[in-house]
Amino acid sequence: MQTSDWQPVFILLVLVLAAIALLHAVAIAVCAVREPLRTGPFSGGLEPREHPLSRFHVRWYPVTMVFLAFDMEMLFMYPWTKVVSEVGPSAVIEMFLFLGVLLAGVGYAWREGAFRWS
Amino acid sequence: MTDPAPLWAVLALPAVLAGAAWAVASFDAVLGAGARAAWPGREALRLLVQQPRRTRAADVPLTRLGSTLLPVAAVLAAVVLPLGFRSVSDLPEGIVWFNAMEALAWAAVWLTGWGPNSTLSLIGGYRFLAQGLAYELPHMLAITTAALGAESLRVGDVVDAQAGLWFAVWMPAAFGIYLLSALAMSFWGPFDQPAGRDVAGGAAAELSGVDRIVFLSGRWLLFVVAAAFSVPLFLGGGHGPLLPGWAWTLLKTAVVLAFLVWARRRIPTVRMERYVELAWVVLTPLAVAQALVVAVVVLNR
Amino acid sequence: MELKSRLLRAATARPGVLLAVRPGATRERLFVEAELVRRGWPCAAGPASANLLVCVGEATTAEDDWAERLWLGIPAPKARVTASAVERAVEALDRGRADLLSGAHQHHVGRHEQTDGDLHRGHHEHQESPDPAPESGRHTHDDHNSHGSEHTNGSSAGAHQHGAHEGHASHEGHNGHAAHGMHGDHDMGVVAGLPMAARADDRDGLRLDRLHVPLGPVLADWPAGLVLRLELQGDVVQQAAVERIAAPITARPPFWNEPWLRASAGERVARGDAARRLCAAHLDSLGRFLAVAGWDDAAAEARHVRDRALAGVAATELTSSVVPLIRRIRRSRTLRWLTAGLGVLPSEHAHHLGVTGPALVADGDVHGRVLVWLDQIERSAGDCDAPGTLGAADVTGPRGRTDGANLPSQALLDVLPGLLEGAEFACARLIVASLDPDLDEFTWAAPPVRGPADD
């Protein structure tokens, strides 16, 4: 009946988007005032002096670097799970050596204080 | 492997998820005992009739994209969620698919926080990115560990592999880490800082009307889906004596959800600047060690 | 149409309430909070999810700029009421809901937008003048913000000389995306009437946008009437200046200090009543702190016990409900892990700044101050029915000595800027909550002998 595994996924995507659009339509029909309210941002009642959008102080920048290394590693780890017993002990040894190297990196980053930022 | 689900399941899935999210939100409100008793249905109706609201120089399409993305990601992730032994579509890389959809929440919360041009919502969005960096890696290692136990990325195979012993029994660390990350990815419970009250609702601070309904119900949906996914991954899916598979799935899911909702009341909100260190220094090595144990077991099977 | 109005009525049967508490209205706040819990009306954290703006306390004669802005930020259906006295609070809430149901305020919505539009137009004039002179434009805006607020701290003067701005202000169409102003040297670009943030050095030696944000006076679990003028880089507080919103001076003593003030004025005050008030005051602070820390369950319990204490339950009964709560908080390792090391205030420094209350006793961080509260709650709960009267020498209220040259909360406000510098936003909120200054103290008329510190 189904042409592919992905068919229901696409139907579902359309369905959910349609439901959300419908909700918006219902809201337009029943809302108290249709004209949007234009207002300033809330921070307790007073107005900010500048636009809040700003270059953010990304204090966890070193964490993103460590994260990226591991995220790349996951690309190998997902397919690896399927072939462990097929390939044998060498698969396990190689993967965990790799992970060990990365963990050593984590240890180094920790010692450098990358995970503490306040 | 079991036969594919009929097409009407596609229609049923969002309805079932919405019902479950509503039930969990109601349960949470009941435990709240009055103080913040915002009954979900009533609250949704209250928001539905609100006038649309735009903050100065807001990026409305971006905000709307963010708030819409959250329920979309939650429902699409649920495609691989089996009820009993049948899911809407048992994709061959179901676990990766779930991971990919759940990671969409990063974009969703950040866009929603950025869009309204408001300091507090910006802080909320920013907090979620830091949270993502903390929870995501142990989370990925935990779900790969389950996949490793079954040597397959198909959720159906993972459930089949637990016909005897549940994964939660022999990979308890991965299970615990998964539950933590289920809370963190739906920024709910002790990980609700991105939408915390101390920043007036954080990423949701400037949302009103339908945008708010969609965003907050998307969060509940994501919470339910993430918690429910622990059942096929670690709690044996539909396996169990006497009752049919679907009943076991529902029962186990309800227990996990009830536990998480109850546990939330015991602890304050976790701030990322403290949790990141724990996640990387304790949870990540723990998850790797768990994966190693499982890999050795798999080799000797 | 019939269906729509019925829906509106059902939707606003339990309105979302935005509480705007003015200084000097603690008694009313406690009453309204309990009443809202009883009615099951949710408390909104901001205007976006609110229907009903409840102003608690007497309005000043000066226009309340912030109250008006809050009102303008609430989307319809909406209503606004003032609960100026405990006796009239229930009636005010009922009236608020009736207004919502009848849609009384709805036809005003257009007018409010007009007002907001006027504000915008004002800014556009700045933008379109041939020589934009961002300096003067900003000052005008500053002055506008300062309406109804008084400086208590000179440090915000530094805020005026921030950032090196380029000679030209880049003109963006005011409908253009704000983000465009973010790149390159367009720091002072004016978008929709407001400039973008300018850059300044941060605590880690980077040059990043420095944002000036007034925080308060109306936030969930926030000391009523407190305004912090923050300079934020990302969510790190670079500098903080403390202000208070204007409030009418009354002859009514501040609620939490009342027993001690009465006693030192020569009245006979039962020792038990003072202990009860102290217990409730700390429970109130504790509830607020726990709510800021995101532990809603414990916060709700603390507030519940607080209301019971004020309702006058017997000491033994109060102790039996206080003890489990305190044990739970004391034992929470997560809370200790999350709050230890934040906002450290050594006692020499505290003493130097005139702090005399729990913050001085704690001699440490946020968690230490909470533990001092817990000790005092436990002790005072047992003393609630103690015989005897308060002597003239008993002057230590919940926040410190009530007979000093300085108000106890003035010292706490003086401590704040130093503690907040370099803290991130969530920590800053925890630090404020762990000191919990009571701005009611400033609304009390000076008795002839000694007066509150003048600003």
Coordinates of all heavy atoms in Angstrom, one line a residue, chain A residues 2-13, chain B residues 7 10 76 79-80 88-94 96-98 100-101:
Chain A
Q2 N 1.9 1.2 0.9 CA 2.8 2.4 1.0 C 3.9 2.3 -0.1 O 4.4 1.2 -0.3 CB 3.4 2.5 2.3 CG 2.5 3.1 3.3 CD 3.0 2.9 4.7 OE1 2.2 2.9 5.7 NE2 4.3 2.9 4.9
T3 N 4.2 3.4 -0.7 CA 5.3 3.4 -1.7 C 6.6 3.4 -1.0 O 7.6 2.8 -1.5 CB 5.2 4.6 -2.6 OG1 5.0 5.7 -1.8 CG2 4.0 4.4 -3.5
S4 N 6.7 4.1 0.2 CA 8.0 4.1 0.8 C 7.8 4.4 2.3 O 6.7 4.8 2.7 CB 8.9 5.2 0.2 OG 8.9 6.3 1.1
D5 N 8.9 4.2 3.1 CA 8.8 4.5 4.5 C 8.5 6.0 4.8 O 8.1 6.3 5.8 CB 10.1 4.1 5.1 CG 10.3 2.6 5.3 OD1 9.2 1.9 5.3 OD2 11.4 2.1 5.5
W6 N 8.9 6.8 3.8 CA 8.9 8.2 4.0 C 7.5 8.8 3.7 O 7.3 10.0 4.1 CB 10.0 8.9 3.2 CG 11.3 8.5 3.7 CD1 12.1 7.6 3.2 CD2 12.0 9.1 4.8 NE1 13.3 7.5 3.9 CE2 13.2 8.4 5.0 CE3 11.7 10.1 5.8 CZ2 14.1 8.7 6.0 CZ3 12.6 10.4 6.8 CH2 13.8 9.7 6.9
Q7 N 6.7 8.1 3.0 CA 5.4 8.6 2.7 C 4.6 9.1 3.9 O 4.1 10.3 3.9 CB 4.6 7.6 1.9 CG 3.4 8.2 1.2 CD 2.4 7.1 0.7 OE1 2.4 6.0 1.3 NE2 1.7 7.4 -0.3
P8 N 4.5 8.3 4.9 CA 3.7 8.8 6.1 C 4.3 10.0 6.7 O 3.6 10.8 7.3 CB 3.7 7.6 7.0 CG 4.4 6.5 6.4 CD 4.9 6.9 5.1
V9 N 5.7 10.1 6.6 CA 6.3 11.2 7.3 C 5.9 12.5 6.6 O 5.6 13.5 7.2 CB 7.9 11.1 7.2 CG1 8.6 12.3 7.8 CG2 8.3 9.8 7.9
F10 N 5.9 12.5 5.2 CA 5.5 13.7 4.5 C 4.0 14.0 4.8 O 3.7 15.2 4.9 CB 5.8 13.5 3.0 CG 7.2 13.6 2.7 CD1 7.9 12.5 2.2 CD2 8.0 14.7 3.0 CE1 9.3 12.6 1.9 CE2 9.3 14.8 2.8 CZ 10.0 13.7 2.2
I11 N 3.2 13.0 4.8 CA 1.7 13.2 5.0 C 1.6 13.9 6.4 O 0.9 14.9 6.6 CB 1.0 11.9 5.0 CG1 1.0 11.3 3.6 CG2 -0.5 12.2 5.4 CD1 0.4 10.0 3.4
L12 N 2.4 13.4 7.4 CA 2.3 13.9 8.7 C 2.7 15.3 8.8 O 2.1 16.2 9.5 CB 3.1 13.0 9.6 CG 2.7 13.0 11.1 CD1 1.3 12.6 11.2 CD2 3.6 12.0 11.9
L13 N 3.8 15.7 8.1 CA 4.3 17.0 8.0 C 3.2 18.0 7.5 O 2.9 19.0 8.1 CB 5.5 17.1 7.1 CG 6.1 18.5 6.9 CD1 6.6 19.1 8.2 CD2 7.2 18.5 5.9
Chain B
L7 N -2.6 3.4 6.8 CA -2.4 4.9 6.6 C -3.2 5.7 7.6 O -2.8 6.8 7.9 CB -2.8 5.2 5.2 CG -2.0 6.3 4.5 CD1 -0.5 6.1 4.6 CD2 -2.5 6.5 3.1
V10 N -1.5 7.6 10.5 CA -1.0 8.9 10.3 C -1.9 10.0 10.9 O -1.5 10.9 11.5 CB -0.7 9.2 8.8 CG1 -0.3 10.6 8.6 CG2 0.3 8.2 8.2
L76 N 6.9 14.8 14.2 CA 7.7 14.0 13.2 C 8.6 13.0 13.9 O 8.9 11.9 13.4 CB 8.5 14.9 12.3 CG 7.6 15.7 11.3 CD1 8.5 16.4 10.2 CD2 6.6 14.9 10.6
V79 N 7.1 9.6 14.6 CA 6.8 8.7 13.5 C 7.4 7.3 13.8 O 6.8 6.3 13.5 CB 7.4 9.3 12.2 CG1 7.6 8.2 11.2 CG2 6.5 10.3 11.6
V80 N 8.6 7.3 14.4 CA 9.3 6.0 14.7 C 8.9 5.4 16.0 O 9.4 4.4 16.4 CB 10.8 6.2 14.6 CG1 11.2 6.5 13.2 CG2 11.3 7.2 15.6
V88 N 4.2 4.3 13.0 CA 3.6 4.9 11.8 C 4.5 4.6 10.6 O 4.1 4.2 9.6 CB 3.4 6.4 12.0 CG1 3.1 7.0 10.6 CG2 2.3 6.6 12.9
S89 N 5.8 4.7 10.9 CA 6.8 4.3 9.8 C 8.1 3.9 10.5 O 8.7 4.7 11.1 CB 7.1 5.5 8.9 OG 8.0 5.1 7.9
D90 N 8.4 2.6 10.4 CA 9.6 2.1 11.1 C 10.8 2.3 10.2 O 11.3 1.4 9.6 CB 9.4 0.7 11.5 CG 10.4 0.2 12.6 OD1 11.1 1.1 13.1 OD2 10.4 -1.0 12.9
L91 N 11.3 3.6 10.2 CA 12.4 3.9 9.3 C 13.6 3.1 9.7 O 13.9 2.8 10.8 CB 12.7 5.4 9.5 CG 11.6 6.4 9.2 CD1 12.0 7.8 9.6 CD2 11.2 6.3 7.7
P92 N 14.4 2.7 8.6 CA 15.6 1.9 8.9 C 16.6 2.6 9.8 O 17.4 2.0 10.5 CB 16.2 1.6 7.5 CG 15.4 2.3 6.5 CD 14.2 2.9 7.2
E93 N 16.6 4.0 9.7 CA 17.5 4.7 10.6 C 16.7 5.5 11.6 O 16.9 6.7 11.9 CB 18.4 5.7 9.8 CG 19.3 5.0 8.8 CD 18.6 4.7 7.5 OE1 17.6 5.3 7.3 OE2 19.1 3.8 6.8
G94 N 15.7 4.8 12.2 CA 14.8 5.5 13.1 C 15.4 6.3 14.2 O 15.0 7.4 14.5
V96 N 18.4 7.7 14.3 CA 19.0 8.9 13.8 C 17.9 9.9 13.5 O 18.1 11.1 13.7 CB 19.9 8.6 12.6 CG1 20.6 9.8 12.1 CG2 20.9 7.5 12.9
W97 N 16.8 9.5 12.9 CA 15.7 10.3 12.6 C 15.2 11.0 13.8 O 15.0 12.3 13.9 CB 14.6 9.6 11.9 CG 13.3 10.3 11.7 CD1 12.2 10.2 12.4 CD2 13.1 11.4 10.8 NE1 11.2 11.0 12.0 CE2 11.8 11.8 10.9 CE3 13.9 12.0 9.8 CZ2 11.2 12.8 10.2 CZ3 13.3 13.0 9.0 CH2 12.0 13.4 9.2
F98 N 15.0 10.3 14.9 CA 14.5 10.8 16.1 C 15.5 11.9 16.6 O 15.1 13.0 17.0 CB 14.4 9.7 17.2 CG 14.0 10.3 18.5 CD1 12.7 10.5 18.9 CD2 15.0 10.5 19.5 CE1 12.3 11.0 20.1 CE2 14.6 11.0 20.7 CZ 13.3 11.2 21.0
A100 N 17.6 13.6 14.9 CA 17.6 14.8 14.0 C 16.4 15.7 14.3 O 16.6 16.9 14.4 CB 17.6 14.3 12.6
M101 N 15.3 15.1 14.5 CA 14.1 15.9 14.8 C 14.2 16.6 16.1 O 13.8 17.8 16.2 CB 12.8 15.0 14.8 CG 12.4 14.5 13.4 SD 12.0 15.9 12.3 CE 13.5 15.9 11.3

